[in-house]
Amino acid sequence: MIDTDAHLAYGIFWAAYAIAFVVFFYMMKALFRFLPLYGLRTLLLAALVALLLTPVESPELAGWWIPAWLFGGYELILGDATDAGRAMFNLALGGAVMLLVWILDMVRYRLSRR
């Protein structure tokens, strides 16, 4: 059973991860500003969101979520193909969702430019 300190550490990790992601996202947004095409800029930002924010549930503890890139990379290094495949599936699913959001944003952009 996980105690209160572990739950507090879990919450602190996700809060720090979210703050670091927001800072990194805006830094990358400023860097991508120099790219000439709106679609390319937003596609790269959507890929960044999908890669860094897609979670996977921990096989050890139900209800605890881990960044999929971190969990999948760790399991690939350890050689556990089943858990790494689960993380890669979540990454692919997150990428598909962000691709759909990107396509809808491109439609919105196209319609607002008319």
Side-chain angles (χ1 to χ4, degrees):
M1 196 65 174
I2 300 301
D3 61 350
T4 307
D5 289 337
H7 281 288
L8 180 63
Y10 177 72
I12 290 171
F13 162 77
W14 275 110
Y17 190 81
I19 291 168
F21 174 77
V22 168
V23 169
F24 184 68
F25 181 82
Y26 281 108
M27 288 173 57
M28 294 305 289
K29 190 174 180 180
L31 181 67
F32 293 157
R33 183 183 66 217
F34 299 110
L35 295 175
L37 299 173
Y38 174 79
L40 180 61
R41 286 192 306 262
T42 56
L43 180 63
L44 290 172
L45 290 173
L48 183 72
V49 167
L51 180 67
L52 295 179
L53 291 185
T54 302
V56 64
E57 190 171 13
S58 171
E60 305 295 325
L61 293 169
W64 281 46
W65 294 86
I66 307 164
W69 66 269
L70 184 64
F71 179 75
Y74 183 69
E75 293 301 326
L76 277 175
I77 290 171
L78 291 179
D80 188 358
T82 305
D83 282 338
R86 199 164 49 90
M88 295 305 152
F89 175 75
N90 280 17
L91 279 171
L93 193 61
V97 167
M98 284 310 297
L99 183 63
L100 178 63
V101 169
W102 178 74
I103 289 170
L104 291 173
D105 181 55
M106 292 305 296
V107 169
R108 179 206 54 87
Y109 180 75
R110 174 77 179 210
L111 291 176
S112 68
R113 300 262 328 215
R114 288 185 178 187

